[in-house]
C-alpha cells in the first residue's frame, strides 16, 4: 500500500492506494468519529462492492443509500433522495458518509455530507480511474444545473481517501479511457517526464497492469495533492487542473449530461486547448500532436461533436466558473508541462480554435 497526504493543516488527510484495500476498512477507523455510517453508492456499483465494504465495517451501524446510475442523475432530486435515506435512518451529526463509486457518486455524496446537519464526516472510496486520480481528492463537491456543469456545490474535504486499484477490473474499457484523460492532463500541465512515462506505459495501463495503474494513480494524486495544498479554493494555480474542461463542459452541457463521458469531453477539450496554445505560438504543431496522439492511444475522442458550432461553444462557455467580470479565462499551455490560466488572448484566436478542422488535425496520417 502507498500512502500520500493532502496537506491542509489540521484538515490534512491521507490517500491510501493499493490492490484489495476495500476489504481493509480498518484503515478508515481513525476517520470515523461516531457509530453510524451511511454508504452512498449506485445501482451498478452496489451489487459489486457494497457487501464487501459493509462486512469490513462490521464494527459500525451501517446503512446504505443506493442511487440510480448516471451523470443525468447528478441533480437536486437525487440529492434529496440521499437526505431522505439519511433522515429515515435517523443519522445524527456524528455520522460518517462514505462515497462508494465514481465521480458522480463522490461529488453528490460529498455535497450531501457538506449540507447534512450543516456538515458531517466524509470518506471517499473512488471506484473509477477518473475518480481515483482526480475527483475524490481536493474537496470539490456538487451537482449539475441544466444550464451548466457542476454549478451548485461546496468545497468540502474528505477525512480520508481509500483507493482499491482492483475495483478497476470491473470498469468498462470506455470508462477506463475516460479516466486516462485526466491522467494525461497532469503530464501536460505540470509534469513532462510523466507524459513520457505515460507514452511508455499506455498499453500496460489499458491492459489493467496493476503496478502501472498504481504508479499512474500515485503520480496523479501527488500532482493533485500538491496543487490543492497550495490553492484549496482555486484562487490561482488550481484552475490549471481544468485544462480542456471549459471546452469539455460546453460539450457535456450541449450534448446532454451523460451522452459524452466527462473524461471524453475533457479529452476533446484538451485537443482544443492544445490547438489554441499552438495558434498563440506557445507550442509547436509537433507538441500539439504529441498530446493528441497520446489521447488517441488512450482510446479517447479527439474531434468535437459534429452538431456543435462555434456559437454553441461560446454560449456554453460563457457560464464557465472561470469567467470573471465577463472575461473568459482559459487554461492553455505555455509549453508541454506548463499550464497558464489567462484571459489575455485575441478573440480571433479563440474563434479560429472553435472553427478549426479537427478531423484534419487529428487524422492518424496528420499526427506524427
Ligand atoms: P461515473 O461516476 O458516472 O462512473 C462511470 C460509470 O462507471 C458509472 O456507470 C458507474 O456506475 C460505473 N462504475 C464505477 N465504478 C465501477 C467499477 N469499479 N466497476 C464497474 N462499473 C463502475 O463517472 P466518473 O468518470 O467516475 O466521474 C465523472 C464525474 O466526476 C463528473 O460528474 C465530473 O464532473 C466529476 N468530476 C469531479 C471532479 C472533482 O474535483 N470533484 C473532478 C473530475 C470530475
Ligand atoms: N478537477 C479539478 C479540480 O479539482 O480542481
Amino acid at each position: 500500500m502507498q500512502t500520500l497526504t493532502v496537506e491542509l493543516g489540521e484538515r490534512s488527510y491521507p490517500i491510501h492506494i493499493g490492490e484489495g484495500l476495500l476489504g481493509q476498512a480498518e484503515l478508515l477507523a481513525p476517520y470515523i468519529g461516531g457509530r453510524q455510517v451511511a454508504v452512498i453508492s449506485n445501482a451498478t456499483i452496489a451489487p459489486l462492492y457494497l457487501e464487501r465494504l459493509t462486512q469490513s465495517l462490521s464494527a459500525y451501524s451501517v446503512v446504505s443509500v443506493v442511487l440510480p446510475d448516471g451523470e443525468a442523475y447528478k441533480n437536486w432530486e437525487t440529492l434529496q433522495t440521499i437526505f431522505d435515506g439519511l433522515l429515515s435512518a435517523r443519522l445524527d451529526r456524528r455520522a460518517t458518509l462514505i462515497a462508494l463509486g465514481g465521480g458522480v457518486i463522490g461529488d453528490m455524496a460529498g455535497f450531501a455530507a457538506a449540507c447534512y446537519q450543516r456538515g458531517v464526516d466524509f470518506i471517499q472510496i473512488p471506484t473509477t480511474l477518473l475518480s481515483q486520480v482526480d475527483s475524490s481528492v481536493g474537496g470539490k463537491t456538487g451537482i449539475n444545473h441544466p444550464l451548466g456543469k457542476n454549478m451548485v456545490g461546496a468545497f468540502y474535504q474528505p477525512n480520508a481517501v481509500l483507493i482499491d486499484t482492483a475495483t478497476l477490473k470491473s470498469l468498462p474499457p470506455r470508462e477506463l479511457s475516460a479516466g486516462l484523460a485526466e491522467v494525461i492532463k497532469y503530464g501536460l500541465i505540470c509534469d513532462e517526464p510523466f507524459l513520457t512515462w505515460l507514452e511508455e506505459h499506455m498499453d500496460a495501463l489499458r491492459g489493467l497492469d496493476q503496478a502501472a495503474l498504481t504508479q499512474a494513480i500515485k503520480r496523479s494524486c501527488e500532482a493533485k495533492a500538491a496543487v490543492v495544498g497550495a490553492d484549496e479554493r482555486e484562487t490561482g494555480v488550481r484552475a490549471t487542473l481544468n485544462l480542456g474542461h471549459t471546452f469539455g463542459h460546453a460539450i457535456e452541457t450541449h450534448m446532454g449530461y451523460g451522452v459524452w463521458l466527462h473524461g471524453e469531453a475533457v479529452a476533446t477539450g484538451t485537443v482544443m486547448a492544445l490547438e489554441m496554445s499552438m495558434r498563440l505560438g506557445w507550442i509547436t504543431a509537433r507538441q500539439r500532436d504529441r498530446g493528441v496522439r497520446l489521447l488517441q492511444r488512450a482510446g479517447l475522442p479527439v474531434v468535437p461533436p459534429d452538431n456543435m458550432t462555434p456559437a454553441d461553444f461560446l454560449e456554453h462557455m460563457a457560464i464557465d466558473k472561470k469567467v470573471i467580470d465577463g472575461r473568459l479565462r482559459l487554461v492553455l499551455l505555455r509549453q508541454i508541462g506548463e499550464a497558464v490560466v489567462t484571459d489575455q488572448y485575441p478573440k480571433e484566436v479563440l474563434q479560429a480554435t472553435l472553427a478549426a478542422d479537427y478531423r484534419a488535425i487529428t487524422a492518424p496520417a496528420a499526427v506524427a
Side-chain angles (χ1 to χ4, degrees), residues 139-163:
K140 279 190 183 176
T141 72
I143 55 174
N144 300 327
H145 185 279
L147 292 179
K149 262 290 278 183
N150 296 333
M151 277 294 154
V152 179
F155 283 100
Y156 198 69
Q157 299 293 341
N159 296 8
V161 181
L162 189 76
I163 299 177

Side-chain angles (χ1 to χ4, degrees), residues 175-227:
E175 298 289 351
L176 189 81
S177 291
L180 287 169
E182 302 280 13
V183 176
I184 293 168
K185 170 187 83 180
Y186 294 112
L188 289 171
I189 63 170
C190 63
D191 192 352
E192 194 275 337
F194 184 40
L195 205 65
T196 304
W197 184 92
L198 288 170
E199 286 165 340
E200 290 162 1
H201 293 84
M202 186 49 73
D203 296 339
L205 291 168
R206 292 191 73 186
L208 292 178
D209 179 298
Q210 290 286 305
L213 284 169
T214 302
Q215 179 66 6
I217 293 165
K218 176 169 172 273
R219 211 139 157 192
S220 300
C221 286
E222 278 168 352
K224 177 130 190 195
V227 171

Side-chain angles (χ1 to χ4, degrees), residues 81-129:
T81 313
I82 299 179
F83 296 134
D84 292 346
L86 303 182
L87 287 164
S88 309
R90 307 256 187 279
L91 258 68
D92 63 33
R93 303 180 85 165
R94 295 202 68 212
T96 299
L97 263 56
I98 298 183
L100 174 69
V104 169
I105 289 295
D107 281 11
M108 278 195 297
F111 191 30
C115 302
Y116 187 68
Q117 304 208 13
R118 301 199 181 88
V120 292
D121 287 342
F122 174 50
I123 290 169
Q124 288 268 18
I125 305 188
T127 61
T128 61
L129 180 60

Side-chain angles (χ1 to χ4, degrees), residues 4-9 11 13 15 133-134 137-140 155 157 182-183 185-191 194 218-243 245 322 331 337-341:
L4 313 173
T5 305
V6 181
E7 301 285 358
L8 288 169
R11 290 177 300 116
Y13 55 92
I15 306 170
V133 300
D134 193 350
V137 175
K140 279 190 183 176
F155 283 100
Q157 299 293 341
E182 302 280 13
V183 176
K185 170 187 83 180
Y186 294 112
L188 289 171
I189 63 170
C190 63
D191 192 352
F194 184 40
K218 176 169 172 273
R219 211 139 157 192
S220 300
C221 286
E222 278 168 352
K224 177 130 190 195
V227 171
V228 170
D231 178 24
E232 182 186 6
R233 294 277 172 145
E234 198 170 308
T235 54
V237 68
R238 183 162 182 174
T240 62
L241 294 175
N242 285 319
L243 177 71
H245 284 57
K322 283 184 293 307
V331 185
E338 186 191 338
V340 287
V341 186

